Amino acid sequence: MDPRELSALLSSLVSQLLLLLLLLFNSSNSTHHPLSDSNLFSIIHYFLSSQDIAATLSFVSVSRKRKRTHCQDSDSGPIGQDVDPELGRRLGGGDLLRLGLTRNPDSFKSFFRMKSSTFEWLAGLLEPLLECRDPVGTPLNLSAELRLGIGLFRLATGSSYPEIAQRFGVSESVTRFCAKHLCRVLCTNFRFWVAFPSPEELKSVSLSFEQFTGLPNCCGVIDCTRFNVVNENNGEIESIAAQVVVDSSSRILSIIAGFKGDKGDSRILKSSTLYKDIEQGRLLNSSPVVVNGVAVNQYLVGDGKYPLLPWLMVPFADVFQGSSEGKFNVAHRAMRVSALKTIASLKNWGILNKPMQEEFKAAVAVIGACSILHNVLLMREDDSALCEMVGDYSVHDQSSKYGVEGSLEEDSNGKQASVIRDALAAEVREVHVSSLGGGSV
């Protein structure tokens, strides 16, 4: 078997095995599962290390010994000035010399939304999967670094395919293939980078929220945002809704995209697999904690567009400043900042910051790829595409848009949820929230 095909096969098998382990672990409810607790993390750590080592040492050393050639489009000429030859050589045997990259970190950030060290790490990890596939009947003979560069440049800048083709000195068809193949590889083989935490991991998530606000047992913030896409049939701009759940560090725990953007957030939630999994006890099913005499199960927090449920806490309406309900709202809003920051960071990717010229399914794959890369940057402590200032992400608070569909369910679940929220409000009353930066309510 060709070394590239073998490398890709092994890398893909490891990725799928990791995903299977996560699914098996999350499906275990009250019964102790042999993959539970620390055993799972040891296994995942082993396979992640194995995959990383395999991609960056064994597979990379084989492929990088091959001669790198550039599939040059006949109409394209050299582009870029003041290029750093050493950097270009490091990123693919001179393939990226046309980009005008320099040692200035801002240059890499503007081109790829990541540091050069992250780019190199990612290229090593993805190399066997990027190089193993070419268009039918058209061998590209492009390095993994160049393929990755083309795909990332499309995601980072949102430039059109003709513009990217000219800049990289390849044909437009090659540009399309590389960009779409990168999204396919990320969404197919590395979905575990955006996976809902195991019960053990959720303990750490909830502890972080509790240390921040005083509210116990919170396992994430849910929000919904829209990305625009140009309808290929009539040229009109439509929107795609994406529902995200994040932790206090803005790491994406779950993302579900592909809904029509004109649907309200509550309808999208109730149509999602996340809603079904929680309602049927497959997620957020750990033992409750007792707060002021009330059993509080694991829950998410969301804005007023969502219904109040035993596992979904929304803010109080019409509260008085300084009251228990008002202090709960301050803490609640402070928690929601992590979701707004995530949404703003996703829209820092140029392709998501303007209407996408993509088919609907391809646009959904773009959203998924950018979400995976968002978590990769957090894991790598690379802030190149992350929003830090409040002014950068406050504009993404869409709590007053797309309709408020009622915050209280008129059934026993709604009554139970109201009792839980009252207990949490009483709990947060004793917490000093002045440091949360929530402002007045």
Side-chain angles (χ1 to χ4, degrees), residues 281-293:
R282 290 190 290 269
L283 293 176
L284 302 184
N285 53 11
S286 295
S287 300
V289 298
V290 177
V291 179
N292 292 310

Side-chain angles (χ1 to χ4, degrees), residues 11 50-61 123-128:
S11 183
S50 300
Q51 187 178 35
D52 201 352
I53 293 172
T56 58
L57 296 181
S58 302
F59 300 154
V60 171
S61 62
L125 185 63
L126 301 184
E127 180 173 14

